[in-house]
Amino acid sequence: MLDTDADAVLGIEQQTLSPWSQSALFSELEYDRGICLVAERNGLHSAKPQVVGWCSCRYLSPEAELLKIAVHKKCRNLGIATSLLSDLEQMLKAKNVEKLFLEVRSQNHSAVNFYYKNGFLQVGVRLEYY
């Protein structure tokens, strides 16, 4: 992800339940042990590639935490989040990360199903967290 992708990512963020601010996004881009990726696709609003999804994580080998995956509403259920997660996992593996953790609202059934489908397991519940 580049600084020039920020406006598109912030647009996607406005479609999420917990949108990140511009300052939070730029803070992640500057984080030394962070990875921010974008997915691009032709034809969403123009002929040139447009950012249609993004993800962010922080790592400290041998562990990492997935902070966010978000996909543009018009591009959901096309495998974009799966591709982002796969690319992220490959990058983390190259950095000797063995475990990837995340937090997800239990009421967000599509996200819960996505993570189960991609091999994640529930290891705990934070009561009254959200």
Side-chain angles (χ1 to χ4, degrees):
M1 178 176 182
L2 304 172
D3 289 351
T4 55
D5 296 322
D7 285 342
V9 168
L10 289 168
I12 293 168
E13 277 301 289
Q14 293 309 307
Q15 302 171 359
T16 68
L17 292 174
S18 302
W20 283 18
S21 68
Q22 183 177 21
S23 62
L25 180 60
F26 280 111
S27 176
E28 284 308 310
L29 286 174
E30 295 173 6
Y31 191 73
D32 288 341
R33 294 192 181 266
I35 299 172
C36 292
L37 302 176
V38 294
E40 293 181 331
R41 185 171 180 201
N42 287 333
L44 185 59
H45 296 294
S46 71
K48 72 177 198 168
Q50 301 290 307
V51 173
V52 295
W54 82 288
C55 70
S56 177
C57 87
R58 289 184 174 188
Y59 65 93
L60 185 58
S61 298
E63 297 180 350
E65 180 179 6
L66 178 61
L67 302 174
K68 186 92 174 212
I69 292 183
V71 175
H72 191 285
K73 280 186 176 185
K74 292 182 179 179
C75 297
R76 292 182 183 161
N77 299 312
L78 298 176
I80 293 167
T82 301
S83 293
L84 282 166
L85 181 60
S86 177
D87 290 349
L88 177 64
E89 287 175 329
Q90 288 178 16
M91 293 178 79
L92 291 171
K93 191 173 189 176
K95 295 181 182 304
N96 299 314
V97 171
E98 299 169 6
K99 294 182 182 182
L100 178 59
F101 295 94
L102 61 96
E103 295 176 0
V104 63
R105 285 184 175 97
S106 59
Q107 302 90 351
N108 188 343
H109 300 292
S110 62
V112 170
N113 290 335
F114 169 78
Y115 293 118
Y116 278 138
K117 182 178 126 187
N118 283 281
F120 285 80
L121 304 171
Q122 181 176 321
V123 296
V125 175
R126 294 187 184 196
L127 299 176
E128 301 179 32
Y129 184 67
Y130 287 104

